[in-house]
């Protein structure tokens, strides 16, 4: 699992389009989702990710101390500040552009597996008392954010 974590003052996501459903009835686009202070997570899943990966990453993110305390030091977690998370699935984080001009995405997880692990990850964060909003897996989305700091970390497990 590879995650780009951005500390934000606010963030939102709107689905522009999604894959066609297998039936003939067109599904309406989901409502835009947004948060205030917290984290924007861009989440990529590989085929080797499992429940242990989900547990480790969700614990790390819930306890990461990157919000300022009263002395201005990064010493508070998202749980302590009662922040929220906007979680966006983004397989392109596994893009490999070392050869040629078109990235290869072979390291990204198969969609069925990745969707399941991403859902488990979001539920694991929620189980720690954090409000989690999400984009839509596999959809074309528009993401807006106000990066606070800026503080951006890359987490990998």
């Amino acid at each position: 699992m590879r995650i780009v974590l951005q500390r934000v003052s606010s963030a939102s996501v709107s689905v522009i389009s999604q894959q066609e459903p297998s039936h003939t009835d067109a599904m309406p686009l989901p409502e835009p989702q947004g948060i205030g202070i917290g984290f924007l997570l861009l989440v990529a899943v590989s085929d080797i990710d499992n429940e242990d990966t989900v547990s480790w990453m969700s614990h790390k993110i819930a306890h990461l101390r990157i919000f300022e305390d009263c002395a201005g030091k990064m010493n508070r977690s998202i749980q302590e500040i009662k922040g929220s998370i906007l979680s966006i699935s983004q397989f392109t984080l596994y893009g490999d552009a070392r050869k040629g001009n078109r990235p290869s995405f072979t390291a990204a997880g198969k969609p069925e597996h990745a969707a399941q692990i991403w859902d488990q990850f979001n539920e694991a964060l929620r189980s720690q008392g954090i409000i989690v909003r999400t984009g839509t897996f596999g959809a074309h989305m528009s993401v807006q954010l106000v990066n606070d700091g800026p503080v951006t970390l890359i987490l990998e497990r």
Side-chain angles (χ1 to χ4, degrees), residues 74-130:
M74 286 189 194
N75 205 20
R76 298 176 71 204
S77 72
I78 193 164
Q79 292 174 315
E80 291 174 289
I81 66 147
K82 299 188 181 345
S84 302
I85 289 175
L86 180 58
S87 176
I88 307 294
S89 146
Q90 188 171 345
F91 77 95
T92 60
L93 291 176
Y94 277 115
D96 183 352
R98 290 177 289 182
K99 294 181 183 178
N101 293 317
R102 184 175 179 198
S104 168
F105 299 105
T106 58
K110 291 178 183 61
E112 304 80 29
H113 174 73
Q116 180 182 14
I117 295 295
W118 181 61
D119 286 340
Q120 289 176 4
F121 170 69
N122 293 326
E123 285 306 315
L125 290 167
R126 288 182 183 112
S127 74
Q128 296 185 65
I130 302 169

Side-chain angles (χ1 to χ4, degrees), residues 1 45-54 94 107-110 113-114 117 156-157:
M1 187 176 276
V45 175
S46 75
D47 283 333
I48 63 169
D49 293 327
N50 56 33
E51 290 179 18
D52 289 337
T53 312
V54 166
Y94 277 115
K110 291 178 183 61
H113 174 73
I117 295 295
E156 194 158 12
R157 175 73 188 230

Side-chain angles (χ1 to χ4, degrees), residues 13 15 30-35 85-89 118-119 122 126 132-137 141:
V13 62
V15 174
E31 292 292 317
Q33 297 291 308
I35 62 166
I85 289 175
L86 180 58
S87 176
I88 307 294
S89 146
W118 181 61
D119 286 340
N122 293 326
R126 288 182 183 112
V132 179
R133 306 270 191 262
T134 66
T136 300
F137 187 89
M141 297 171 275

